[in-house]
Amino acid sequence: MTTNLRLALRSLAKSPSFSVVAILTLALCIGANSAIFSIVNAILLKPYPWPGSERLVYVQTNYPKVGGRASGLAIPDYLDHRAGVPSFEESALITGFNANLSLDGHPERLYGLSVTPSLFALLQTPAALGRTFTEADAEPGAPNAVVLTDGFWRNRLGADPAILGRTLRLNGAAYTVVGVMPEGFYFPSLRAQFFVPFAITSELRTETERTRQWCTMLARLKPGVTPAQVQPELDAVHRATRERVPQLRDQYAVTGYGSIAVGFLAENVGNVKSMLWLLQAGVAAALLIGCANVANLLLTRASARQREFAIRSALGAGRAHLIRQLLLENLVLFLLGGGLGLLVATGSLRAVETLGVGNLPRGFGIALDARVFAFTLLSALATGLLFGALPAFSSTRVAASEALKSAGARTTADRRQLGLRSFLAVAQIALSLMLLATAGLLVRSFLRVQDESPGFDRAHALTAALSLPAAKYPTAEKRAAFVGQLTARLQAIPGVTAAGVTSALPFAGGNPQGAYVIEGFDPGPNQPNPNGMIRQVSPGYFAALDIPLLRGRLLQPSDALGRENVVVVDRFLAERYWPGADPIGKRLSRGDSATQGRGTWTIVGVVGTIKHWDLAQDVKKETIYFPYAQTPNNAFALLVRTSAPPAGYINAVRDAVLAVDPEQPVFDIKTMEARLEESLQPRRAPMLLLVVFAGVALALAVLGIYGVLAFSVGQRTSEFGVRMALGADRGAILRLVLRQGIGIVAAGLALGLLGYAALSSLVASQLYRVTSTDPLTLLAAPAVLAAIALAACLIPARRATRVDPMTALRTE
């Protein structure tokens, strides 16, 4: 084996130009595959850094009869599931806990989680310093405790070794540090910086809490149990609840109220999964095209070695020995290409980061790890065996006596190789067309999404988030007063044309919603009450986003606590429940925490409908705008419309907030344009990468057909000389060669269209307002490919017309 390997390396060294071109082609294609696989691996395949993470599931509220599924769960349902589902090995309850922290006189905003102590047992991860929470920490009235992540401890607190027992003031309250998690630990993402205990009070255990699905339940299934298998147990818990709590029976009957278990990983990456697999398939197609080019190079090299093989065969070397030697040479070539491909993958990942792939779910963990190395090795071996075997078998089929006769070699071996080359070129054209058509459709779809109107003016709008500490702003009056002072200061900034606040920014991730009752409207037997998106906004909100007023009036500063309860609704709601009629003066009611149970609300205005989280989704639910002054909560977002580019107003907005409260941090400051661009990122980055790979595939396919015709022209030089000597003009020779190229291109295009048609359903799910059989794209892609391929055919065709008949005949 060592001798054969040494011979293989020596043989490759004898043809340095061939070896360099082949290795670089393989490095480019295998490296691109490894880079994309590292993204797929980090986001879709790699387990979380907790033991048994593949068995983690979210337990979410489900409304099958009204087609809805909420991401949260009510606390009483959590308690029932924890006690009544045998397939759960452990479970925990989680909710967000954003906090203001002031160190060294500089207020900042932290993102944390309020968790039941069982979370750390569920994740099977103890603290690296100190301890995690005990059940005593979560008792109502217990001293405040906090567990820090390693990153926050090191980066913000200087890795203070005496951190245990130190007090941090979060939202104005003192919290004692009891533990620090291990390095590399995160949950559920790198965003969380600390954890505090979730105290389930007696009020939170009451049956009225079942209408508030505001918490997240996480559970670890017992070994061998799947989410589908746990469903009957969840259903049994809800049947028992329905029998035990009669007042819930109507809700169960109307909505099918229940719970569903969904995989933790699947839920977190579901919106990018299909696109990433499509991207991996695209780069795999580019790899096959590149390998076909290398196979053509190997065939050319093997053709030049026909006499060598014949002599070795005549001296006693069997065909099996020759095949093994050639296959070993080719495998070495592909493995060298794979090794260099790892360097290409490293550079490619740096380039890919500029496209924002790191912003995708779990995108922070993209790296070349052992799984990626194994994938690269397997890619090199698999392609080496497949595309290395074709030239090895083809070039050793000629008998020694025939190969030693130059004419016989041309009519047998070269003709066979030409057929194999043509087959590879057809496959390259077909794969390239499939990639080109897919990339074209994704580009058209993305442009349609990008041009989609959100229903408001995205330009010149600056946004930011705030959260008022409950200890400092315990009453609705204090919160309303803070917002009133702040919006007045913001509107006084030169260049600011409008300023307002909202409980949930468009395209910022949050989407509070809930049921409501329309006075005089009967939803019908066994039908649920209307359900819409709920927002608390100040009067300046609509002007800050330039949302048009369609009927009635907007909210006003006089719509305050103690005054008539009023709301503004969007056109979607008005047309849904009062088509062709005037909704002004109609009344609706809610009785939950969002409206502080304030009863009935009168509609005073109708505004345009806007999109809240995805430009590619049509609006399917109405929005109700309550006055912030009548329903003030602690967390809200600012909206400022400016006459100049909004990024220039960031410092002025910060100063306005600090002028009202010097300890109040402002966070998540972004322009509305930036938020919309971020919402497009799961579409943009994979689309751009697929376009790049389609371009590479097109170039490789064109080189492939050029190589086939160049080889054919080289082998038929004497034939062209004879034809021209017998009177054929240059035009006839040109048409002869082009006819061969056109046949290959036509076959490749036909095969590519058939292949795309078979897989078009996979592409359809990624498109917006463009069909997977869009005629413009499916005509343009073959036309572009055909034009470029035929242009490449002209080069060897023109070379054939320059053959000197006398020189060709003399050589023959």
Side-chain angles (χ1 to χ4, degrees):
M1 183 65 180
T2 303
T3 302
N4 289 337
L5 181 60
R6 188 165 53 248
L7 289 173
L9 292 172
R10 187 184 304 165
S11 176
L12 293 176
K14 287 181 180 179
S15 307
S17 298
F18 157 79
S19 300
V20 168
V21 171
I23 290 173
L24 288 179
T25 301
L26 291 170
L28 173 65
C29 296
I30 294 177
N33 257 270
S34 298
I36 298 305
F37 180 76
S38 66
I39 298 173
V40 172
N41 176 51
I43 295 177
L44 302 182
L45 304 178
K46 193 174 182 179
Y48 285 89
W50 324 302
S53 64
E54 70 283 354
R55 291 189 279 133
L56 296 184
V57 295
Y58 286 114
V59 182
Q60 301 175 341
T61 304
N62 192 31
Y63 304 97
K65 292 186 178 181
V66 292
R69 177 160 66 94
S71 60
L73 195 79
I75 291 177
D77 286 334
Y78 161 74
L79 297 173
D80 290 345
H81 295 331
R82 182 173 176 83
V85 178
S87 292
F88 288 161
E89 196 171 70
E90 185 58 89
S91 60
L93 200 64
I94 307 149
T95 188
F97 187 87
N98 297 336
N100 297 339
L101 173 69
S102 182
L103 292 176
D104 306 323
H106 299 289
E108 63 179 294
R109 183 66 171 173
L110 302 182
Y111 176 78
L113 293 174
S114 180
V115 303
T116 55
S118 56
L119 174 69
F120 301 100
L122 184 149
L123 300 178
Q124 299 181 358
T125 307
L129 292 177
R131 63 174 177 85
T132 57
F133 301 131
T134 65
E135 293 298 330
D137 292 318
E139 288 294 327
N144 293 329
V146 61
V147 171
L148 307 178
T149 63
D150 179 82
F152 178 73
W153 173 59
R154 293 181 185 276
N155 300 331
R156 192 64 184 87
L157 302 176
D160 180 6
I163 189 64
L164 298 181
R166 179 176 169 182
T167 298
L168 298 178
R169 295 198 68 82
L170 303 176
N171 286 340
Y175 283 77
T176 301
V177 178
V178 299
V180 178
M181 297 306 292
E183 183 178 1
F185 172 86
Y186 65 86
F187 177 85
S189 70
L190 294 178
R191 189 182 174 198
Q193 298 164 290
F194 68 92
F195 305 90
V196 298
F198 191 114
I200 303 179
T201 63
S202 56
E203 291 81 3
L204 293 177
R205 298 172 181 268
T206 60
E207 295 300 337
T208 57
E209 281 292 314
R210 290 191 194 272
T211 61
R212 300 178 61 216
Q213 293 89 33
W214 59 286
C215 298
T216 299
M217 179 178 178
L218 188 66
R220 186 177 66 244
L221 301 177
K222 290 182 178 178
V225 178
T226 66
Q229 290 171 333
V230 82
Q231 191 60 51
E233 298 176 8
L234 292 171
D235 295 340
V237 169
H238 279 283
R239 283 195 299 270
T241 302
R242 183 174 56 210
E243 295 301 319
R244 188 178 70 252
V245 189
Q247 61 266 35
L248 293 178
R249 291 175 186 171
D250 288 343
Q251 181 182 3
Y252 276 73
V254 171
T255 66
Y257 183 93
S259 298
I260 186 171
V262 295
F264 183 77
L265 176 61
E267 183 72 3
N268 291 341
V269 302
N271 63 326
V272 297
K273 181 177 180 180
S274 298
M275 180 65 86
L276 287 179
W277 282 122
L278 182 62
L279 180 60
Q280 184 67 68
V283 72
L287 171 63
L288 294 176
I289 295 172
C291 290
N293 265 358
V294 173
N296 268 324
L297 291 175
L298 291 172
L299 284 169
T300 300
R301 184 167 178 265
S303 179
R305 298 173 66 187
Q306 286 291 334
R307 293 179 66 81
E308 172 198 338
F309 299 150
I311 292 172
R312 293 174 64 179
S313 180
L315 293 176
R319 186 185 178 206
H321 174 78
L322 295 177
I323 289 175
R324 282 197 303 272
Q325 185 61 39
L326 278 176
L327 192 55
L328 181 59
E329 290 180 18
N330 298 342
L331 275 175
V332 168
L333 191 71
F334 276 77
L335 288 173
L336 289 173
L340 186 59
L342 288 173
L343 297 179
V344 173
T346 302
S348 298
L349 282 182
R350 295 195 185 99
V352 164
E353 287 175 2
T354 63
L355 299 177
V357 173
N359 295 326
L360 298 178
R362 303 187 76 203
F364 56 84
I366 297 173
L368 299 180
D369 58 13
R371 184 177 291 180
V372 177
F373 280 100
F375 174 82
T376 305
L377 177 61
L378 288 175
S379 296
L381 285 173
T383 53
L385 287 172
L386 175 61
F387 289 93
L390 291 176
F393 280 92
S394 176
S395 57
T396 57
R397 290 182 62 185
V398 183
S401 58
E402 184 180 1
L404 289 171
K405 301 175 184 177
S406 58
R410 287 195 186 101
T411 58
T412 307
D414 293 341
R415 188 177 301 155
R416 186 183 302 115
Q417 287 192 10
L418 181 60
L420 181 56
R421 288 169 178 272
S422 298
F423 168 76
L424 291 173
V426 168
Q428 286 178 293
I429 294 290
L431 289 172
S432 180
L433 176 59
M434 294 170 66
L435 265 179
L436 199 61
T438 301
L441 287 169
L442 289 178
V443 169
R444 292 199 66 200
S445 173
F446 181 80
L447 293 177
R448 292 281 179 90
V449 175
Q450 196 173 42
D451 291 340
E452 185 71 21
S453 171
F456 56 83
D457 185 0
R458 66 182 80 184
H460 294 288
L462 182 66
T463 69
L466 288 87
S467 183
L468 304 178
K472 192 171 185 179
Y473 298 92
T475 64
E477 289 79 7
K478 286 191 174 184
R479 295 191 291 270
F482 175 91
V483 168
Q485 294 177 52
L486 177 57
T487 52
R489 285 186 175 272
L490 291 172
Q491 289 170 343
I493 298 173
V496 171
T497 60
V501 304
T502 176
S503 57
L505 272 174
F507 299 92
N511 184 34
Q513 52 189 304
Y516 60 97
V517 176
I518 298 175
E519 189 176 89
F521 173 76
D522 182 7
N526 296 326
Q527 294 298 314
N529 285 321
N531 188 287
M533 293 178 282
I534 306 301
R535 303 291 184 266
Q536 291 88 38
V537 302
S538 69
Y541 169 81
F542 302 103
L545 282 182
D546 197 18
I547 301 175
L549 175 66
L550 304 180
R551 191 186 293 268
R553 68 170 177 88
L554 297 175
L555 299 178
Q556 299 173 356
S558 58
D559 297 322
L561 285 169
R563 306 293 294 271
E564 181 188 10
N565 295 335
V566 297
V567 293
V568 169
V569 300
D570 69 351
R571 178 168 53 190
F572 189 95
L573 186 149
E575 293 180 348
R576 184 172 189 175
Y577 295 106
W578 297 285
D582 187 359
I584 304 301
K586 304 296 184 181
R587 297 159 67 87
L588 54 85
S589 62
R590 298 193 76 221
D592 64 0
S593 59
T595 57
Q596 283 87 54
R598 290 174 54 83
T600 305
W601 303 74
T602 302
I603 298 174
V604 296
V606 179
V607 296
T609 299
I610 70 170
K611 296 187 176 185
H612 291 277
W613 62 87
D614 189 349
L615 285 173
Q617 286 188 2
D618 294 329
V619 175
K620 297 181 179 179
K621 187 170 285 192
E622 60 270 25
T623 303
I624 305 173
Y625 299 96
F626 292 87
Y628 177 85
Q630 294 182 345
T631 58
N633 51 17
N634 291 81
F636 56 86
L638 298 177
L639 276 160
V640 176
R641 176 159 293 278
T642 62
S643 57
Y649 290 80
I650 291 177
N651 290 333
V653 169
R654 288 186 187 275
D655 292 342
V657 174
L658 295 176
V660 179
D661 185 346
E663 297 181 347
Q664 178 62 47
V666 184
F667 59 100
D668 196 23
I669 301 182
K670 295 175 184 175
T671 66
M672 184 54 73
E673 287 277 13
R675 293 192 185 278
L676 283 164
E677 288 301 307
E678 286 181 1
S679 74
L680 295 174
Q681 198 57 39
R683 291 176 175 270
R684 179 188 291 105
M687 179 270 296
L688 290 176
L689 288 171
L690 198 61
V691 168
V692 170
F693 296 138
V696 171
L698 175 60
L700 292 173
V702 169
L703 286 175
I705 191 170
Y706 167 80
V708 170
L709 291 188
F711 177 81
S712 176
V713 168
Q715 297 302 314
R716 299 173 67 184
T717 300
S718 59
E719 174 192 341
F720 296 147
V722 171
R723 287 177 178 272
M724 296 178 74
L726 294 177
D729 58 16
R730 295 181 185 275
I733 299 298
L734 183 70
R735 289 191 296 274
L736 183 65
V737 177
L738 284 180
R739 191 179 302 120
Q740 180 184 1
I742 291 171
I744 293 174
V745 173
L749 294 179
L751 186 62
L753 287 173
L754 288 175
Y756 174 79
L759 302 176
S760 60
S761 59
L762 301 178
V763 181
S765 62
Q766 305 301 317
L767 302 179
Y768 177 72
R769 300 197 188 281
V770 178
T771 65
S772 60
T773 56
D774 177 60
L776 179 61
T777 306
L778 295 185
L779 288 175
V784 169
L785 181 53
I788 297 175
L790 291 177
C793 295
L794 282 173
I795 300 174
R798 289 175 62 85
R799 186 183 305 157
T801 64
R802 297 193 184 101
V803 171
D804 181 5
M806 296 304 296
T807 303
L809 292 173
R810 193 179 300 117
T811 301
E812 182 64 21

